[in-house]
Amino acid sequence: MNFLSESLLELQKNLQILPGVGEKTAQRLAFFLVNQPEVKASRLAGSILNAIEKCKPCSVCFLLSDTNPCSICDDTSRDNDILCIVESSKDIFLIENTKEYKGKYFVLGNLLSPIDGVGPKEIRINELSNFLNNNHFKEIVLAIAPTTEGETTMQFLADFLDKKVERITRLSTGIPYGGDMEYTGTTTMINAFKRRFEV
């Protein structure tokens, strides 16, 4: 017999959609949340709803942002000669924290994975093509995690971008193979950018 209330069980189940949160962690978080003062819990719930409502992909680069275009695309001081292609918005936050990169971005949204049915259309290849037609970049940096899907995507992009840009680079192998960009330290990321090499 399960003695947890239905509402608590539902909260626990919903918390498991968070990355890295299994049943035990979700249960611990559920108990923590319901034991918070109502004003704190309401503030958290409100901030989640507010972020979901206001945070939308930039129509130019697809960075999740409260404004359209996003503050990076709208920044006239950015270097228009270099474009950094990433998988997701969280990768941009990581790169921006290094203060090493000053160019523009493009967010793919996914990595190629034929097994999962993720093909070129799912990585915004048409949108990237339009983006490149409207801009002239001297260098494109592929800042993608060196996983199996990441390597496949970088090879596809290198072939797609061939003759469209003077220089295509990728981050150095300071990021371990199979590693996730999200867990890459700032110093490692800085060195990866400084030591990027031709694809």
Side-chain angles (χ1 to χ4, degrees):
M1 181 180 292
N2 199 323
F3 296 99
L4 289 178
S5 71
E6 286 190 16
S7 59
L8 202 55
L9 284 170
E10 184 182 1
L11 176 58
Q12 177 183 320
K13 181 181 178 182
N14 288 330
L15 286 168
Q16 289 182 64
I17 68 167
L18 297 171
V21 176
E23 185 177 349
K24 294 285 187 184
T25 303
Q27 187 179 87
R28 191 164 58 248
L29 288 171
F31 274 109
F32 172 80
L33 290 170
V34 297
N35 281 301
Q36 293 302 300
E38 189 172 339
V39 64
K40 281 189 176 181
S42 295
R43 192 180 302 132
L44 173 61
S47 64
I48 293 172
L49 291 172
N50 186 53
I52 291 171
E53 180 186 346
K54 292 184 177 178
C55 208
K56 305 295 181 186
C58 169
S59 60
V60 180
C61 73
F62 296 94
L63 167 68
L64 288 172
S65 173
D66 288 350
T67 61
N68 190 26
C70 70
S71 58
I72 293 177
C73 287
D74 213 28
D75 186 352
T76 55
S77 70
R78 305 287 300 199
D79 186 348
N80 291 314
D81 288 335
I82 184 168
L83 174 69
C84 181
I85 298 179
V86 299
E87 176 189 357
S88 67
S89 291
K90 68 178 183 289
D91 298 331
I92 293 181
F93 288 102
L94 175 64
I95 293 167
E96 285 296 292
N97 282 339
T98 69
K99 304 194 185 317
E100 180 69 24
Y101 178 77
K102 303 296 181 186
K104 296 297 184 78
Y105 291 98
F106 186 87
V107 180
L108 295 173
N110 283 299
L111 297 179
L112 289 176
S113 180
I115 293 175
D116 299 318
V118 181
K121 288 184 180 178
E122 285 71 41
I123 65 167
R124 297 183 175 133
I125 200 66
N126 292 331
E127 292 86 344
L128 176 59
S129 182
N130 291 334
F131 189 70
L132 294 175
N133 288 336
N134 294 322
N135 297 275
H136 177 70
F137 298 104
K138 293 181 179 178
E139 179 183 356
I140 291 180
V141 183
L142 304 179
I144 298 170
T147 59
T148 301
E149 293 82 3
E151 292 291 340
T152 301
T153 303
M154 283 190 279
Q155 186 56 60
F156 172 80
L157 289 172
D159 293 339
F160 174 77
L161 295 167
D162 188 36
K163 297 177 182 173
K164 286 185 172 70
V165 65
E166 297 172 27
R167 187 175 185 224
I168 304 169
T169 59
R170 58 178 290 176
L171 302 187
S172 79
T173 52
I175 300 173
Y177 183 83
D180 194 312
M181 294 275 286
E182 183 178 2
Y183 303 111
T184 301
T186 301
T187 302
T188 302
M189 182 59 74
I190 289 172
N191 289 331
F193 256 100
K194 285 182 177 177
R195 299 169 187 165
R196 64 184 184 272
F197 57 93
E198 301 279 350
V199 175

